[in-house]
Amino acid sequence: QIQLVESGGGSVQAGGSLRLSCAVSGYGYSTYYMGWFRQAPGKEREGVAAIDSTGRTRYADSVKGRFTISKDNANKILEMDSLKPEDTAMYYCAANYGLGPSLERSRFAYWGQGTQVTVSS
């Protein structure tokens, strides 16, 4: 069973950068894909970036050109640049077995506990 532990996050001023990391374990030799989601108070959880085992990526339109998802061994990194106040949310990493990056919440079975990102204006 896949386990996920997020780290990073924090508070930053608009225009700044943050780096989130998700340590992934328990997947053995299985193929899996992984994604980053966020949820702001009163809003639905939305996918922002995803990557699969081949390195293919997908991004939400709202973060294209500002966020970059990558792999660093068993860790999945989300580099966030040019942050905006509307990026403020709890960020979660998620994963599931199979192929293909996806931003659909229903396709993910395993979730981390989340890490808070706050961007002030």
Side-chain angles (χ1 to χ4, degrees), residues 2-57:
I2 295 174
Q3 291 94 44
L4 305 162
V5 179
E6 301 101 336
S7 61
S11 297
V12 65
Q13 289 191 327
S17 299
L18 283 173
R19 184 176 188 265
L20 305 183
S21 180
C22 180
V24 186
S25 62
Y27 56 90
Y29 294 98
S30 300
T31 299
Y32 70 95
Y33 53 91
M34 179 269 172
W36 284 97
F37 288 74
R38 66 186 181 188
Q39 188 167 18
K43 293 189 176 181
E44 295 289 320
R45 191 172 297 188
E46 62 173 353
V48 295
I51 190 168
D52 70 5
S53 58
T54 70
R56 291 182 298 175
T57 59

Side-chain angles (χ1 to χ4, degrees), residues 6-116:
E6 301 101 336
S7 61
S11 297
V12 65
Q13 289 191 327
S17 299
L18 283 173
R19 184 176 188 265
L20 305 183
S21 180
C22 180
V24 186
S25 62
Y27 56 90
Y29 294 98
S30 300
T31 299
Y32 70 95
Y33 53 91
M34 179 269 172
W36 284 97
F37 288 74
R38 66 186 181 188
Q39 188 167 18
K43 293 189 176 181
E44 295 289 320
R45 191 172 297 188
E46 62 173 353
V48 295
I51 190 168
D52 70 5
S53 58
T54 70
R56 291 182 298 175
T57 59
R58 290 193 66 181
Y59 294 94
D61 289 342
S62 60
V63 306
K64 281 182 182 177
R66 300 190 300 120
F67 290 13
T68 303
I69 189 170
S70 62
K71 298 187 290 184
D72 177 13
N73 294 323
N75 294 324
K76 302 302 179 287
I77 308 299
L78 185 67
E79 299 277 1
M80 304 184 293
D81 298 317
S82 302
L83 282 162
K84 305 175 181 179
E86 51 263 45
D87 294 319
T88 295
M90 184 70 78
Y91 282 71
Y92 300 87
C93 64
N96 205 359
Y97 296 105
L99 294 173
S102 174
L103 295 177
E104 296 179 26
R105 181 179 176 180
S106 61
R107 290 197 59 193
F108 291 82
Y110 304 95
W111 293 84
Q113 294 300 308
T115 185
Q116 179 68 36

